[in-house]
Amino acid sequence: MPLVQAELHRIARRCMHGERAGHSLQATALVNEAYLRLVDAQRVRWQDRSHFLAMSARLMRRVLVDHARARGYQKRGGAAVRVTLVEAIGGSDERPHDLVALDEALNALAKLDLRKSRVVELRFFGGLTAEETAHELGVSSDTVLRDWKLAKAWLLRELERGDRA
């Protein structure tokens, strides 16, 4: 754990970057919560460092989504947890999307194309490079970059569609 602690904090800060001011979770608490969930994952066969970091990023995303749902926020609107997706999907900074809506869109994308969903999860939430993501998924960097581009466009369309609903 000490060998990857700095990396886990970097992932947590990235996950927390778009959160609302005054969020009750801090990056360290997010790392700790994810660690507790990792300890419970006894059947996981860790392949390498990037596999561990990818799983950590996924768990941090789950912690934030669970936290948002536990707070009783509605699907869209209100004081829901906000995530700015400007860097990730090239959208406008004027309308940030809530984390629950993003999670639902990622789950819908996973049903259509699991690999593209994993690419978004690893790159956006995990902060992995295209090369690290390619290694984790067992594909080429070019494939990751193509998936990244298509997934960003698909997610942006889904989130904008949800804003109009």
Side-chain angles (χ1 to χ4, degrees), residues 14-156:
R14 184 169 176 85
C15 288
M16 297 295 297
H17 175 71
E19 296 297 323
R20 62 179 161 66
H23 194 286
S24 60
L25 284 176
Q26 299 298 319
T28 299
L30 186 56
V31 169
N32 292 340
E33 184 66 31
Y35 178 75
L36 291 174
R37 292 183 185 197
L38 280 170
V39 170
D40 287 341
Q42 297 173 1
R43 289 185 229 141
V44 176
R45 290 186 177 214
W46 302 111
Q47 298 165 6
D48 55 24
R49 182 177 178 274
S50 66
H51 180 236
F52 175 79
L53 294 174
M55 181 63 85
S56 297
R58 175 178 275 185
L59 287 173
M60 287 181 202
R61 175 179 147 220
R62 295 277 11 119
V63 168
L64 289 172
V65 169
D66 291 349
H67 183 75
R69 286 191 172 127
R71 300 258 322 188
Y73 291 120
Q74 295 179 358
K75 182 176 172 184
R76 292 174 178 79
V81 176
R82 301 288 179 183
V83 176
T84 301
L85 298 176
V86 175
E87 294 175 5
I89 62 176
S92 166
D93 204 16
E94 298 170 9
R95 294 182 319 185
H97 301 281
D98 71 72
L99 186 59
V100 175
L102 175 58
D103 183 60
E104 290 173 357
L106 274 172
N107 289 336
L109 178 59
K111 290 177 184 174
L112 294 173
D113 192 322
L114 181 60
R115 189 180 70 213
K116 284 180 182 62
S117 175
R118 293 279 292 137
V119 166
V120 172
E121 187 173 74
L122 294 170
R123 299 218 53 215
F124 180 65
F125 289 99
L128 272 62
T129 65
E131 292 76 23
E132 291 168 330
T133 302
H135 174 74
E136 177 64 26
L137 298 177
V139 296
S140 72
S141 295
D142 288 342
T143 298
V144 166
L145 293 174
R146 277 192 303 274
D147 285 353
W148 178 240
K149 184 177 180 179
L150 290 169
K152 289 188 303 183
W154 190 91
L155 286 171
L156 182 59

